[in-house]
Amino acid sequence: MSGPPAPGPLEGYAARFDGLFSTPAQRRGFREYLAGLLLPRDRNKTLTCLAGTEPVVGAQHPAVQRLQFFLSESTWDHERVNSPRGELLLADPATAPHPGGVLVIHDSGDRKDGKATAHVGRQWLGRLGKTDNGIVTVTTFWADENFYYPLHAVP
């Protein structure tokens, strides 16, 4: 890998995906993207926030430009990255389904006109099966045969 490793235990996780990227720059971009998604930031769906820069004025920052290139121009297959992610969740006893229930990760996207709502932008909207102007949310919850509840709330 070229460049600094991902912080803490994220490096071990990211290294599992190295074989899916053909260049050191792609492996670095993947690590920077993961770190940006996991850091506690208000707007983690914008490139400037993912890269840790100010909105608008930070758009030309090299870290933002690298991330932009990685996500939109670099030749890597998101499906080849998503498949092992699911396998890792199933292999870990903490997240694998068991008789007591299952962890559910659900993403949904809704089309939105304009840009007045936070996080609205051109992105993949699974419900529509295409890229369009909209907002995407990811929800995690626990489910068993009787009920389900969001993981960020106490049932």
Side-chain angles (χ1 to χ4, degrees), residues 99-102 142-149:
V102 62
W142 184 259
D144 67 19
E145 63 186 44
N146 296 316
F147 66 96
Y148 70 92
Y149 59 90

Side-chain angles (χ1 to χ4, degrees), residues 97-115:
H98 55 73
V102 62
L103 170 68
V104 178
I105 302 171
H106 175 71
D107 65 328
S108 62
D110 294 308
R111 191 178 175 320
K112 299 285 184 187
D113 289 324
K115 296 183 180 183

Side-chain angles (χ1 to χ4, degrees), residues 13 16 84-98 103 142:
Y13 179 80
R16 296 176 178 188
R85 285 178 55 233
E87 293 167 10
L88 287 170
L89 286 170
L90 291 173
D92 186 333
T95 53
H98 55 73
L103 170 68
W142 184 259

Side-chain angles (χ1 to χ4, degrees), residues 4-149:
L10 188 56
E11 176 58 30
Y13 179 80
R16 296 176 178 188
F17 297 86
D18 282 351
L20 303 175
F21 300 104
S22 57
T23 68
Q26 288 176 340
R27 290 188 282 279
R28 178 182 180 178
F30 182 66
R31 283 163 170 77
E32 290 173 354
Y33 181 57
L34 286 176
L37 289 172
L38 295 171
L39 288 171
R41 295 179 174 156
D42 292 336
R43 330 167 311 282
N44 71 351
K45 290 188 180 185
T46 66
L47 284 173
T48 53
C49 187
L50 286 170
T53 65
E54 290 296 316
V56 184
V57 296
Q60 299 307 313
H61 190 279
V64 175
Q65 295 300 307
R66 271 194 318 271
L67 210 51
Q68 172 66 38
F69 184 83
F70 170 71
L71 293 172
S72 64
E73 305 297 327
S74 184
T75 56
W76 59 280
D77 184 351
H78 70 280
E79 290 300 329
R80 287 186 64 208
V81 173
N82 277 334
S83 183
R85 285 178 55 233
E87 293 167 10
L88 287 170
L89 286 170
L90 291 173
D92 186 333
T95 53
H98 55 73
V102 62
L103 170 68
V104 178
I105 302 171
H106 175 71
D107 65 328
S108 62
D110 294 308
R111 191 178 175 320
K112 299 285 184 187
D113 289 324
K115 296 183 180 183
T117 304
H119 310 300
V120 169
R122 291 200 55 80
Q123 50 197 323
W124 177 259
L125 303 175
R127 288 185 189 169
L128 300 178
K130 66 178 185 175
T131 300
D132 203 344
N133 199 50
I135 189 165
V136 174
T137 59
V138 177
T139 306
T140 56
F141 57 93
W142 184 259
D144 67 19
E145 63 186 44
N146 296 316
F147 66 96
Y148 70 92
Y149 59 90

